[in-house]
Amino acid sequence: MYNFAYHRPGSLAEAERKLKAAADGRLLAGGQTLLPTLKQRLAKPSDLIDIGRLAELSFIKADGRSVQIGATTRHATVAASAEVRKAIPALAKLAGGIGDPQVRNMGTIGGSLANSDPAADYPAAVLALGATIHTTERAIAADDFFKGLFETALKPGEIIKSVSFPVPEKAGYMKFAQPASRFCMVGVFVCKAGSGVRVAVTGAGPCAFRQSAMEKALASNFSAAAIESVKVSPAGLNADIHCSAEYRAHLVGVMARRALTEANG
Amino acid sequence: MPTVSMTVNGKSVGKTVEDRTLLVQFLRQDLGLTGTHVGCDTSQCGACVVDVNGHAVKACTLLAAQTEGARVTTIEGLAAADGALHPMQQAFMDNHALQCGFCTPGMVMSAVDLLKRHPNPDEQTIRRELEGNLCRCTGYHNIVKAVQQAAKAMAR
Ligand SMILES: Cc1cc2nc3c(=O)[nH]c(=O)nc-3n(C[C@H](O)[C@H](O)[C@H](O)COP(=O)(O)OP(=O)(O)OC[C@H]3O[C@@H](n4cnc5c(N)ncnc54)[C@H](O)[C@@H]3O)c2cc1C
Ligand code: FES
Ligand code: FES
């Protein structure tokens, strides 16, 4: 790891100032992605601004219509939250299936979204539930947030403050985990809400995306049977040593049907 | 260079270290607590697991500076002052839950942590909770048995 200057600001406002003042500053939240990246010398930031202990960014608020989660809320906290488990059980389950217990004790929702790893779990929930990402500058709709491989709509110096999830009628999540890393080979989040049906896929493309053919098929019949005949094309899907694009396309169907069964269960 | 202070196994410690110092380096090199191991150094194997403020974390994936002011417990801090082993350590011995012993400090720390959340875990829960700890010797079977014995001992 190259050396850097470490800062632990006492407030979000101070973090923003420090980030903007740094030559090449990076936020540090849980560090479960950034520190491994630095150890491999894949990045060389001048300054790390640690927001991981800012109390103002760590909270869960639920009001019946939405669940709002602060950016530095740990995966383990979301998984164990009585409020999240009651309002959106599929979201609590997703958080509880990220990595392993030690990763969940450090990793944060804001860090996961800002990173937009193609195999990350949270992006599927954010897209399928139609969440809104609140930053120091604006509110970004989930549909406008994920731009590509490790690429988001965030601008330099912009900090995620929280994410608000509308409470759905029904939702389900299923992932096929890569057995060594436990990241998603494919994960599918399905959601039925007043505003319609949304299906989001992670692990299969450069970043999380919606599966519109399934959304159409599910609009009038929200069940695993309704997507039995939906063909998923492997075109543009990821292929690597773990599995081919064809296999991922197949998994999208299987995970979607299992997620639907769970949502209806 | 920042000065980092924390409580490690009940003792207050403070050292001036490079900003990039990882907690595991701080423990092993600055404090000489070499019970915490580095297996992979890539956040995968769990040999470096310690307890920070009541939560198990991978000390190779955490800066010492991030734990400023924290209460840290390492494998050296588990046994009682009179040397009596922690029930988890005793259970690992009794069940032959280690061979080379390299993974053991992290395995024991994670196992102690899992019992806080699941005081009476079934086999599946133990295996799932130990997903972040790799052992290349035992095949895990005796580790699972040890955790079950410790759970019973600690419930008493
Ligand atoms: C062994 C292992 C297994 C894992 N398995 C999974 C898995 O199965 N599924 C999964 O989804 N993830 C997995 N992860 C990744 C984990 O979820 C990370 O916690 C997450 O990707 C990043 O969150 P963090 O808080 O650690 O971010 P950090 O590593 O601190 O930061 C990541 C990036 O986000 C930026 N950032 C952080 N917070 C903000 C913010 N509030 N606003 C703007 N930018 C910000 C940082 O500057 C950095 O560029 C795994 C990680 C490890 C080490
Ligand atoms: S050395 Fe920390 S996880 Fe392997
Ligand atoms: S006992 Fe050798 S790695 Fe576990």
Side-chain angles (χ1 to χ4, degrees):
Chain A
M1 196 161 27
Y2 298 110
N3 208 4
F4 44 75
Y6 171 87
H7 310 271
R8 191 172 46 250
S11 69
L12 179 61
E14 191 190 338
E16 241 187 311
R17 279 199 304 278
K18 285 242 154 70
L19 186 59
K20 287 192 171 140
D24 181 17
R26 276 285 204 94
L27 295 171
L28 174 68
Q32 300 302 289
T33 293
L34 185 54
L35 291 176
T37 309
L38 296 183
K39 284 163 82 175
Q40 292 184 63
R41 296 196 166 180
L42 293 174
K44 195 183 177 184
S46 59
D47 299 75
L48 288 197
I49 292 99
D50 185 0
I51 56 170
R53 284 158 70 171
L54 286 180
E56 63 191 296
L57 291 184
S58 178
F59 59 84
I60 294 174
K61 285 184 210 151
D63 65 6
R65 291 176 46 211
S66 75
V67 175
Q68 199 179 359
I69 303 181
T72 60
T73 311
R74 315 280 164 183
H75 306 329
T77 309
V78 174
S81 157
E83 280 140 313
V84 180
R85 289 166 81 127
K86 179 160 172 276
I88 319 179
L91 183 61
K93 177 193 151 180
L94 174 148
I98 295 175
D100 53 53
Q102 294 80 26
V103 168
R104 294 195 288 274
N105 278 339
M106 287 304 298
T108 69
I109 186 168
S112 176
L113 296 178
N115 194 48
S116 185
D117 189 299
D121 289 278
Y122 266 128
V126 166
L127 258 189
L129 291 165
T132 303
I133 291 132
H134 301 275
T135 75
T136 40
E137 302 188 10
R138 58 201 161 129
I140 309 173
D143 284 323
D144 302 325
F145 188 79
F146 303 103
K147 294 292 187 193
L149 190 68
F150 297 110
E151 200 187 325
T152 68
L154 291 173
K155 291 183 288 201
E158 189 170 7
I159 305 178
I160 299 177
K161 292 197 296 186
S162 69
V163 187
S164 50
F165 295 91
V167 174
E169 278 170 43
K170 290 178 177 181
Y173 179 66
M174 205 57 78
K175 86 163 160 178
F176 190 91
Q178 209 277 73
S181 76
R182 292 169 296 279
F183 272 98
C184 302
M185 222 102 99
V186 167
V188 180
F189 202 109
V190 297
C191 161
K192 180 173 192 268
S195 52
V197 170
R198 293 165 69 105
V199 177
V201 178
T202 188
C207 64
F209 60 89
R210 287 174 63 186
Q211 225 296 347
S212 47
M214 286 184 183
E215 291 180 354
K216 272 199 208 88
L218 292 168
S220 57
N221 175 10
F222 190 74
S223 77
I227 55 166
E228 208 65 64
S229 59
V230 174
K231 283 265 171 298
V232 179
S233 163
L237 297 192
N238 301 337
D240 51 34
I241 58 165
H242 307 304
C243 65
S244 63
E246 288 73 19
Y247 186 61
R248 277 200 168 79
H250 174 72
L251 280 181
V252 171
V254 177
M255 291 302 118
R257 289 194 294 276
R258 290 187 189 169
L260 283 159
T261 304
E262 182 190 80
N264 288 317
Chain B
M1 296 210 296
T3 300
V4 180
S5 318
M6 61 185 87
T7 307
V8 178
N9 300 332
K11 282 199 212 86
S12 298
V13 297
K15 297 256 179 205
T16 302
V17 296
E18 273 193 314
D19 299 54
R20 62 177 163 179
T21 307
L22 297 166
L23 178 61
V24 73
Q25 294 171 321
F26 185 75
L27 295 170
R28 288 177 57 87
Q29 288 159 27
D30 293 285
L31 303 183
L33 294 170
T34 53
T36 304
H37 289 170
V38 178
C40 62
D41 206 13
T42 56
S43 323
Q44 313 278 331
C45 75
C48 63
V49 170
V50 300
D51 182 293
V52 174
N53 290 334
H55 301 289
V57 298
K58 292 177 176 171
C60 76
T61 314
L62 189 68
L63 299 172
Q66 281 175 282
T67 50
E68 167 68 34
R71 274 177 298 105
V72 177
T73 306
T74 69
I75 189 74
E76 289 92 342
L78 279 192
D82 66 0
L85 292 182
H86 184 280
M88 189 63 75
Q89 293 172 306
Q90 188 61 51
F92 267 61
M93 266 180 73
D94 294 348
N95 291 280
H96 193 54
L98 60 145
Q99 289 177 30
C100 79
F102 199 85
C103 70
T104 312
M107 205 55 96
V108 168
M109 295 308 291
S110 292
V112 169
D113 178 72
L114 92 82
L115 286 190
K116 280 193 262 172
R117 280 170 292 117
H118 307 277
N120 186 18
D122 58 16
E123 177 182 344
Q124 211 196 349
T125 305
I126 296 170
R127 288 184 185 272
R128 198 186 59 233
E129 285 285 325
L130 291 179
E131 272 186 333
N133 292 81
L134 303 181
C135 174
R136 62 190 291 281
C137 302
T138 63
Y140 302 98
H141 193 71
N142 288 346
I143 293 176
V144 174
K145 284 204 290 194
V147 177
Q148 282 169 327
Q149 174 183 317
K152 283 204 199 84
M154 288 166 74
R156 265 187 241 124

